[in-house]
């Protein structure tokens, strides 16, 4: 044993004193001094430390961190000599898991304990297991952006911080489900709330906040984000992260494997949130039409989520819906399967009859709306000069199947018009129906919408459609539709819809709320029947369909070029983009790639493609480690196969993304 | 008979009521339920044609005959029986005659294009009865006319019962049917019965069986609008009746059956669409040599992810200005959400783009010879329009590309954006079908022979009939049907009932049909058949149709019940012919055949199923039939003609009767 000494107190072995601080890296920390030799094993040292501290506590998570070498001493059978530790080593005896604050894709903050000693890849996998997100290889952590000089009134009126730091997950086994959520969430009301936060979409953000948040104004702005990715082969401690730091958890690789609404409620929701914020903060551009669809989906998702229909496991929803739809179809088909039934159904087919004002735009006519007697039966709209003539031939008869229905509504102006674009062999005929009030409008509108899809008012969805329209009208009354609307918009009232929370700020500038609302409503009619999970999936799919989807931008300088350019990294290709114009200069696909090499000294990445195409560039906006990891990561993700399930070949991943011992 | 016929009339009237409901959805007026005669009309559906009256009046005996022949072929033996019965009580039973007439009329007007005369038949029972049904089948094509005549009144009653059953089935399955004239590439035509549930894929499979072509994936149904000079292929998942119902009644539009390699070009050479570097022309060559493995992974990447990838496509195209003959060059971009253009003075970033069109309500067509017609800069034009628009209109968008390659890229890109993964699914089905077909041909030389080369050789209508019956079809159809329908117990029941009946009445015929020999027989019938004449004479063809209606009606009138089963079987008969190959299969085949006729689904499905081969097919077939039956029931729904149609039918019927008598 180290520490033998003579009677006079001189040490006679080769032992020396080793000072170890207890706790996290804190200069003030208490310390213990041990007598050790170079032959001492780390395990023995740990034992001595605990003895010396002489405090009853669970020390099992503690390990020694060597500050100068930025290294954990995790090999307990290694000796101090083998590690090369001398008396001047600054060692800290601290917990390997420390609390951090995660900023989730949905922008909520969550406190939990993350491993500071394992490679980030494993640490993220553990976090994802805790959050029940499958396929953790698609996610990673970023450093939080440095806060710029805080503006006068520091925002963030103490936001709610969810806490999972006390939850400990048994290793190995997949968490079992209990009460519709992974068992470890059902311990307390607090953790339950946390699960709901994770698995349910958040309400739309305050439009004012949205305008304040930083948005990239150029491609080079978009490269900033990607300079903050942490290194997945090293641990948090090695990357200078401290306990209590804020980290962002994000989907890093845009290659979402086996997205399944049934088993992935949290993953799906967080992915949806990330997509939504991408769009709202203009990280990815879309067209006006696409934005309306995104807004409508958000509105719909929010509505479902607020109404608590989320409660049931999202997975069963689609199936049930399908079944319902099938049943209702069947109903229609079987209608009148017996003669008597037929008669009944004949007499009970719902129809609408009323005086409506009709306007048919024609060239060279100044006529406005004229009152007619309008009969709406099945999918056909007929109008007559007056009610008396109804049994006779109508002035015109329109089959609304396949037509376009566009609302033209101004609630405050009491204008309730339905614009119909009815296809016919000769072209499209345009007709406007003007209703007197909301009730009438909702009934006719719902009928028109169903008819345009070939369904009649006998359809089971008619009533809910009417309700949805009324609800939307009331939103316009309370929300963005008011005459007092300024581009900034009043805050959404409790139940009201503020369209500004659903679209990117540039559309806030471009349109008034009352212009946006009807367009969102119009788009909404196409998605109104979706379940929560379906709507989220649809949102994600639409996001994935954007041409710029899934491209991570890095500023680079190609060998031989004298100006900076942008390198876009997507899941299947590399794109060389002109920095100034944004045009794609050249695309290389990973499938043609032979090999890539990184010269860590000159920070240069060299890639060889088939047919002897060689590309080399140095990285400007981010370290070449990040580019290297992106490429390797996508290659790794492309090797995943369904058959292997969720098993991860971590070695392969690290092999593909690591290899920079030079650091 | 008299009593039964009255009952039938009653039933018809109730059916008419139903039909009205159905027809409304179709957009066609419904006939008044009260008329007994009309009821039959209901069963027959004419879709999309405005001038039923005209068409009826215009009908020539020949046209009628041709149609009849087709119909006969389609109809199962059971149906024929019913028809015969009806003929016996010919006047009483207006249905059959009227039906035929109506059908014919519809067809006649169409002329070039597809004729849409729909007849609703209830062939359902057929499937179950395998053995009995088969006999019936033989009769259908050539014999049909004679049989009806020869049939006895006794049988008629039994038929009436069957009719009742059939009616019930019809109610369950209100299925609309059309007779479609398909133009082949040798300028001949074939008439097919297409029911409203059949997809283009089903119809293609049907045609494969009739023509014994190589079944490769390039075969497609192709619609041509001579007036607008536009054309496009049906996507395999499209509902044929739905598409045709957008045509006007006096349309010159045609449906063609031909090979277009553009149809699935993206799946054969995805690199031409996904990896095309427009900047560098020389890359074309290298692109075209992509190895199979890379192609596969490219397809996988583009079509098998969470969302499909629409090829990146952008470039300057010429746009025809609304209402003018001038073309303006604009820069267009394709996105999953639609086609966009770059407004003047803007950049092509997403935020500046203006939406040109979205795909939800439009189909894409190739424009032909627009250089001449509209002074287009080139002849590489494509057109976007709402499917219902049939005439020139400002709502039709004309675009013109610089070269054929660009045109194909745009058309394919738009189809990918519009249809998404469905396109890939269609392709995989087509490939499976093609593979199956090649095996199939190896298996049965007989089939190949049977097919109907004669029919092709012969002209129009007559041939089609002969072909229709062919066995090849049935098998594939059976399989498919089985898959698709996983039908309800009801079907099965019906089928069972049918079996009994069919067996009893037509046992003799059935055997023939079922056996291998049948194919030849059919051919003979076909060729000779052309027999169009016989059918016409019979009006029976019409009768055949009517028969189904009768079936429907009968339900109330108990008298004929016994025969009911038989009635259904008849349809199977038709089906059976195809089965020719194997004796055992015959029944099943018959069933399939029957199913084909009324319910579109059967034919197409059958091919698709892996098990298409004879043995398995046989096993499966039995179940299938029931399903079909259900389908047939629906026919009544059509009602395209509506009121006018009814009166037309009456006239036609009277005319027919006159002829017959």
């Amino acid at each position: 044993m180290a520490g033998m000494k003579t009677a006079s107190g001189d040490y006679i072995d080769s032992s020396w004193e080793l000072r170890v601080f207890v706790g996290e890296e804190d200069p003030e920390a208490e310390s213990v001094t041990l007598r050790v030799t170079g032959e001492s094993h780390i395990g023995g040292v740990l034992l001595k430390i605990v003895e010396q501290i002489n405090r009853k506590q669970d020390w099992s998570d503690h390990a020694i961190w060597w500050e100068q070498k930025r290294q954990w001493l995790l090999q307990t059978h290694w000796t101090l000599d083998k590690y090369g530790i001398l008396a001047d080593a600054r060692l800290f005896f601290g917990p390997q898991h420390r609390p951090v604050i995660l900023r989730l894709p949905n922008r909520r903050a969550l406190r939990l304990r993350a491993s500071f000693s394992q490679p980030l890849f494993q640490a993220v996998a553990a976090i994802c297991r805790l959050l029940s997100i499958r396929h953790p290889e698609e996610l990673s952590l970023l450093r939080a952006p440095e806060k710029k000089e805080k503006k006068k009134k520091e925002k963030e009126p103490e936001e709610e911080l969810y806490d999972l730091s006390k939850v400990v997950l048994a290793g190995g086994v997949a968490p079992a489900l209990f009460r519709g959520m992974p068992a470890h969430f059902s311990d307390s009301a607090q953790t339950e709330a946390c699960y709901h936060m994770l698995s349910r979409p958040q309400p739309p953000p305050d439009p004012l906040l949205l305008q304040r948040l930083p948005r990239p104004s150029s491609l080079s702005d978009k490269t900033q984000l990607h300079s903050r990715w942490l290194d997945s082969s090293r641990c948090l401690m090695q990357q200078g992260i401290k306990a209590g730091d804020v980290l962002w958890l994000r989907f890093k690789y845009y290659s979402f494997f086996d997205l399944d609404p049934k088993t992935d409620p949290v993953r799906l929701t967080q992915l949806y949130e990330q997509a939504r914020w991408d769009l709202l903060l203009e990280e990815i551009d879309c067209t006006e039409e696409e934005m309306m669809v995104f807004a409508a989906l958000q509105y719909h998702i929010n509505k479902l989520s607020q109404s608590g229909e989320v409660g049931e496991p999202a997975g069963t929803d689609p199936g049930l819906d399908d079944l319902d739809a099938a049943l209702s179809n069947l109903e229609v088909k079987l209608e009148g399967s017996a003669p008597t039934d037929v008669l009944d159904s004949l007499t009970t087919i719902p129809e609408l009859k009323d005086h409506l004002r009709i306007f048919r735009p024609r060239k060279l006519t100044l006529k406005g709306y004229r009152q007619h007697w309008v009969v709406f039966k099945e999918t056909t709209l007929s109008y007559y000069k007056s009610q008396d003539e109804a049994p006779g031939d109508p002035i015109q008869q329109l089959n609304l199947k396949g037509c376009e229905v566009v609302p033209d509504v101004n609630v405050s102006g009491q204008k309730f018009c339905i614009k119909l674009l009815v296809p016919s062999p000769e072209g499209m005929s345009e007709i406007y129906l003007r209703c007197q009030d909301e009730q009438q409008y909702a009934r006719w509108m719902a009928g028109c919408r169903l008819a345009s899809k070939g369904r009649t008012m006998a359809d089971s969805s008619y009533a809910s459609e009417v309700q949805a329209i009324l609800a939307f009208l009331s939103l316009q009354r309370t929300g963005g539709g008011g005459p007092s609307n300024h581009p900034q918009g009043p805050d959404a009232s409790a139940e009201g819809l503020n369209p500004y929370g659903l679209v990117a700020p540039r559309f806030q500038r471009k349109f008034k709320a009352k212009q946006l609302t009807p367009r969102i409503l119009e788009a909404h009619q196409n998605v109104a029947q979706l379940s929560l999970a379906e709507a989220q999936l649809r949102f994600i799919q639409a996001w994935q369909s954007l041409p710029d989807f899934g491209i991570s931008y890095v500023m680079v300088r190609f060998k031989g070029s004298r100006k900076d350019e942008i390198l876009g990294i997507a899941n299947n290709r590399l794109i060389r983009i002109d920095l100034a114009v944004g045009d794609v200069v050249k695309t290389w696909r990973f499938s043609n790639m032979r090999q890539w090499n990184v010269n860590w000294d000159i920070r240069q990445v060299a890639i060889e493609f088939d047919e002897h195409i060689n590309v080399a560039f140095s990285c400007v906006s981010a370290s070449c480690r990040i580019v290297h990891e992106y490429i390797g990561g996508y290659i790794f993700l492309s090797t995943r196969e369904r058959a292997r399930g969720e098993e991860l070949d971590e070695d392969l991943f690290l092999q593909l993304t690591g290899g920079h011992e030079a650091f | 008979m008299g009593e039964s016929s009255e009952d039938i009339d009653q039933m018809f009237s109730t059916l008419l009521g139903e039909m009205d409901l159905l027809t409304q959805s179709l957009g066609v007026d419904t006939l008044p339920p009260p008329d007994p005669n009309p009821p039959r009309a209901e069963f027959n559906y004419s879709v999309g044609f405005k001038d039923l009256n005209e068409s009826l009046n215009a009908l020539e005996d020949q046209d009628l005959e041709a149609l009849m022949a087709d119909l006969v072929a389609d109809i199962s033996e059971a149906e024929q029986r019913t028809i015969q019965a009806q003929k016996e009580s010919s006047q009483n039973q207006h249905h059959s005659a009227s039906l035929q007439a109506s059908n014919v009329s519809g067809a006649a007007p169409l002329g070039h294009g597809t004729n849409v005369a729909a007849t609703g038949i209830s062939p359902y029972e057929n499937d179950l009865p395998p053995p009995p049904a088969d006999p019936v089948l033989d009769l259908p094509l050539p014999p049909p006319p004679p049989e009806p005549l020869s049939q006895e009144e006794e049988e008629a009653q039994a038929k009436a019962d069957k009719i009742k059953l059939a009616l019930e089935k019809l109610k369950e399955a209100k299925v609309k049917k059309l007779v479609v004239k398909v133009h082949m590439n040798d300028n001949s035509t074939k008439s097919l019965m297409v029911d409203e549930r059949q997809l283009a894929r089903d119809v293609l499979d049907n045609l494969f069986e009739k023509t014994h072509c190589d079944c490769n994936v390039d075969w497609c149904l192709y619609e041509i609008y001579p007036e607008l000079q536009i054309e496009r292929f049906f996507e395999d998942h499209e509902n044929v009746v739905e598409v045709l119902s957008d045509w006007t009644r006096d349309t010159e539009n045609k449906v063609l059956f031909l090979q277009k390699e553009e149809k699935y070009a993206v799946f054969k050479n995805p690199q031409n669409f996904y990896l095309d570097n427009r900047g560098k022309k020389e890359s074309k060559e290298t692109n075209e040599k992509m190895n199979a493995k890379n192609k596969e992974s490219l397809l996988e990447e583009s079509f098998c992810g969470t969302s499909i990838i629409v090829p990146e496509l952008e470039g300057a195209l010429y746009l025809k200005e609304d209402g003018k003959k001038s073309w303006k060059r604009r820069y267009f971009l394709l996105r999953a959400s639609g086609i966009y253009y770059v407004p003047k003075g803007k950049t092509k970033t997403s935020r500046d783009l203006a939406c040109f069109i979205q795909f939800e309500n439009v189909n894409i067509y190739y424009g032909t010879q627009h250089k001449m017609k509209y002074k287009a800069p080139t002849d590489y034009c494509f057109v976007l329009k709402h499917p219902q628009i049939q005439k020139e209109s400002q709502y039709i968008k004309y675009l013109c590309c610089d070269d054929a390659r660009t045109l194909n890229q745009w058309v394919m890109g738009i189809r990918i954006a519009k249809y998404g993964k469905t396109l890939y699914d269609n392709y995989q089905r087509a490939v499976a079908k093609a593979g199956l077909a090649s095996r199939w041909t190896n298996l049965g030389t007989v089939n190949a022979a049977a097919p109907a080369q004669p029919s092709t050789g012969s002209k129009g209508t007559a041939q089609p009939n002969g072909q229709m019956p062919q066995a090849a079809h049935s098998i594939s159809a059976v399989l498919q049907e089985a898959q698709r329908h996983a039908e309800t117990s009801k079907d099965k029941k019906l089928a069972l009932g049918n079996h009994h009946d069919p067996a009893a009445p037509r046992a003799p015929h059935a055997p023939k049909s079922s056996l291998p020999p049948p194919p030849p027989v059919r051919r003979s019938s076909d060729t000779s058949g052309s027999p169009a004449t016989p059918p016409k004479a019979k009006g029976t063809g019409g009768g055949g149709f009517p028969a189904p209606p009768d079936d429907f009606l009968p339900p109330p009138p108990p008298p004929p019940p016994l025969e009911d089963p038989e009635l259904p079987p008849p349809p199977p008969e038709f089906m059976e012919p195809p089965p020719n190959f194997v004796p055992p299969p015959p029944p099943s085949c018959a069933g399939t055949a029957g199913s084909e006729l009324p319910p579109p689904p059967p034919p197409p499905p059958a091919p698709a199923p892996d098990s298409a081969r004879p043995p398995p097919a046989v096993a499966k077939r039995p179940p299938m039939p029931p399903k079909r039956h259900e389908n047939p029931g629906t026919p009544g729904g059509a009602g395209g003609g509506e009121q006018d149609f009814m009166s037309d039918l009456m006239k036609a019927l009277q005319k027919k009767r006159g002829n017959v008598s």
Side-chain angles (χ1 to χ4, degrees), chain A residues 445-583:
Chain A
M445 188 67 181
C448 290
R449 284 197 189 150
L450 288 177
S452 74
K453 292 172 199 151
R455 289 183 281 171
T456 72
M457 287 173 279
D459 195 275
S460 57
S461 63
Y462 177 67
S464 63
E465 185 79 41
V466 171
Q467 286 312 312
I469 294 167
L470 285 172
F472 206 93
L473 289 176
S474 73
L475 288 183
Q476 284 186 265
R477 214 171 27 231
T478 57
S484 66
N485 243 336
H486 302 294
Q488 301 302 313
D491 285 345
S493 61
E495 78 285 12
L497 158 84
N498 188 333
Y500 282 164
L502 304 175
V503 298
R506 68 190 176 91
F507 295 102
Q508 299 182 16
R509 294 191 295 274
K510 194 167 172 187
F511 297 105
K512 293 181 180 164
K514 64 181 175 189
Q515 294 174 304
L516 279 178
T517 308
R519 294 191 63 179
I520 296 174
L521 173 60
E522 187 188 337
H524 179 251
Q525 72 188 58
N526 292 325
V527 300
Q529 304 299 323
L530 299 178
S531 74
L532 181 64
E534 285 170 326
Q536 286 182 309
L537 202 55
R538 179 78 68 87
F539 191 97
I540 293 166
Q541 284 168 345
W543 174 53
Q544 289 180 303
S545 296
L546 296 174
D548 296 337
F549 163 79
I551 303 178
S552 307
Y553 300 96
V554 186
M555 199 181 295
V556 299
R557 179 166 298 189
F558 282 89
K559 196 175 171 185
S561 167
R562 268 183 286 166
K563 58 176 185 186
D564 287 343
E565 285 174 89
I566 299 288
L567 178 72
I569 307 169
N571 65 356
N572 56 2
R573 65 199 192 277
L574 296 173
I575 310 161
R576 181 173 181 173
I577 301 168
D578 185 294
L579 176 57
V581 190
D583 283 349

Side-chain angles (χ1 to χ4, degrees), chain A residues 290 335-336 342 378 425 572, chain B residues 18 24 174 301 337 390-391:
Chain A
E290 288 158 354
E335 204 177 311
V342 175
E378 300 268 340
N572 56 2
Chain B
E18 289 187 16
Q24 286 182 1
K174 311 167 176 181
E301 175 185 308
S337 57
Q390 302 287 315
K391 308 239 160 80

